[in-house]
Amino acid sequence: MAKRISIINFKGGVGKTTLAFHLGTGLARYYDSRVLLIDMDHQSSLSIICLGHKIWDNVVDDGLVVDRVFEPFFGQQLSITSEQAIVKKPKKGHFYKCMDIVPASLSLDDVEIELTSSSQGNAVKSEWNKRTLVCKWIMETGIDDVYDYIIFDCPPATKIVSQNAIAASHGFVIPVVPEAVMERGAPHLRGLIQSGIDKMLNELAPLNDKLPTYVPDTKLAGVVITRIASSSGYSGYTNDHTRHLKSLENEWKNDLLKPYIPQGTGVSECLARGVPVYDEPLSQNIGQRGINKDYEQLTGHLKSRIDRI
């Protein structure tokens, strides 16, 4: 059975998509893992990075996107099959031959709005059904037996689309930038997932159909520092980031994973070309700064923690 992981934070701009992409490509490259990325964010950044604009436009035009997984709630008889939804080997290089993706489209935001405003028969059953559509799709398609890891790139919100990912995930990873808002926001997000979303779903579960792909206790796999700003000071980071980093270290202790990922133009340049930093070991902005090695080590640490969940 695949280990299923959500990369989530309700704040935008913290590197969720960048982390999801590098965790997926890192698992495929360094561990020969079979990885499925599922883009749950209507902004579709992960899809565009993996596919490029032209192929992404084509799959969106053909309706072969994750949005279709939610169709049964609106009266459609069948959701999209795994063969239709999964784009095989979007990264053609040798290291990524075992990584696939289910892309998203901009209309996924419309799906979120419609799910929020719609109901289906019995109120209790309706609330359960709209939050377990991804669980049902995974069960119906049998993709759990095809992959070692399924990674959800969640939108900057904890609404129903994200709750579908949490319902199906064994664990979650919170990427954070060491800023004041994250000192409060990250602990709140952990509580919201474990004491809010999981609790609500567990109350609904006994009253509805059993789903083997539903996970009643989604565990924290780790908190990852991203985009930390470097400086010539004693700590190596700016004073502001150093101050908030210390608070995050006190809060999260062993759950705060190293190495911390530095801010820099090299990462965004790689993503614009649709390649992970692992492919740029000689680049001045990547290899010479060791960012490729940082992500490789971080992938190993995350893998170890995810495997223990």
Side-chain angles (χ1 to χ4, degrees):
M1 181 178 71
K3 283 296 177 79
R4 303 187 296 269
I5 300 295
S6 285
I7 311 297
I8 189 167
N9 193 320
F10 46 51
K11 186 179 185 302
V14 297
K16 292 186 296 296
T17 296
T18 303
L19 179 60
F21 181 61
H22 284 96
L23 177 59
T25 52
L27 289 168
R29 180 181 186 121
Y30 298 111
Y31 300 95
D32 292 323
S33 299
R34 300 166 299 169
V35 179
L36 178 65
L37 303 176
I38 301 183
D39 194 348
M40 301 290 282
D41 189 347
H42 72 276
Q43 296 177 81
S44 307
S45 298
L46 182 62
S47 304
I48 295 169
I49 290 168
C50 287
L51 303 177
H53 281 278
K54 184 175 181 180
I55 296 176
W56 176 70
D57 284 340
N58 289 339
V59 297
V60 170
D61 288 344
D62 292 337
L64 305 179
V65 288
V66 74
D67 313 35
R68 296 271 304 279
V69 171
F70 300 95
E71 286 183 350
F73 189 79
F74 306 117
Q76 302 290 331
Q77 292 299 311
L78 296 172
S79 61
I80 194 168
T81 67
S82 61
E83 290 78 12
Q84 291 173 315
I86 296 172
V87 179
K88 302 285 187 179
K89 303 179 183 64
K91 301 285 100 182
K92 302 299 184 183
H94 168 73
F95 294 114
Y96 313 109
K97 61 186 179 183
C98 50
M99 190 190 78
D100 304 329
I101 184 169
V102 178
S105 81
L106 300 178
S107 63
L108 187 56
D109 195 39
D110 298 327
V111 171
E112 173 72 62
I113 294 170
E114 195 167 356
L115 282 169
T116 303
S117 60
S118 300
S119 61
Q120 182 192 74
N122 177 275
V124 172
K125 189 173 183 63
S126 179
E127 293 303 309
W128 170 257
N129 286 347
K130 70 170 65 175
R131 290 171 171 82
T132 54
L133 292 160
V134 168
C135 291
K136 290 178 181 176
W137 182 76
I138 291 172
M139 180 181 68
E140 290 168 357
T141 56
I143 60 173
D144 241 5
D145 299 323
V146 177
Y147 297 96
D148 300 308
Y149 299 94
I150 296 174
I151 300 171
F152 298 99
D153 182 25
C154 296
T158 52
K159 297 179 182 178
I160 293 176
V161 168
S162 293
Q163 289 175 31
N164 266 266
I166 293 298
S169 291
H170 300 99
F172 63 99
V173 178
I174 306 175
V176 300
V177 178
E179 298 172 342
V181 67
M182 282 293 94
E183 288 184 41
R184 302 181 298 273
H188 177 70
L189 177 60
R190 175 179 56 183
L192 180 61
I193 290 172
Q194 296 179 329
S195 302
I197 297 171
D198 275 354
K199 181 181 178 182
M200 174 189 63
L201 288 166
N202 288 336
E203 290 172 351
L204 292 171
L207 307 173
N208 291 281
D209 300 330
K210 291 183 179 179
L211 292 170
T213 49
Y214 166 62
V215 181
D217 182 19
T218 307
K219 298 182 182 299
L220 176 67
V223 178
V224 173
I225 295 288
T226 62
R227 299 181 179 176
I228 189 166
S230 59
S231 172
S232 58
Y234 78 95
S235 70
Y237 306 120
T238 63
N239 290 340
D240 186 58
H241 277 195
T242 297
R243 178 162 53 89
H244 296 302
L245 177 61
K246 188 171 292 293
S247 295
L248 288 165
E249 289 173 336
N250 290 336
E251 169 72 30
W252 296 100
K253 298 180 172 61
N254 292 334
D255 288 325
L256 191 67
L257 304 187
K258 291 184 177 180
Y260 305 146
I261 304 299
Q263 186 180 51
T265 59
V267 177
S268 58
E269 289 170 351
C270 283
L271 296 180
R273 295 195 299 274
V275 299
V277 296
Y278 312 124
D279 288 6
E280 300 288 336
L282 302 179
S283 165
Q284 180 177 356
N285 288 327
I286 297 296
Q288 291 186 23
R289 298 183 66 203
I291 295 177
N292 54 325
K293 292 298 182 182
D294 288 341
Y295 268 112
E296 180 183 349
Q297 291 178 42
L298 182 60
T299 295
H301 294 159
L302 278 170
K303 180 182 187 301
S304 177
R305 292 174 67 96
I306 290 166
D307 290 347
R308 292 198 299 267
I309 292 176

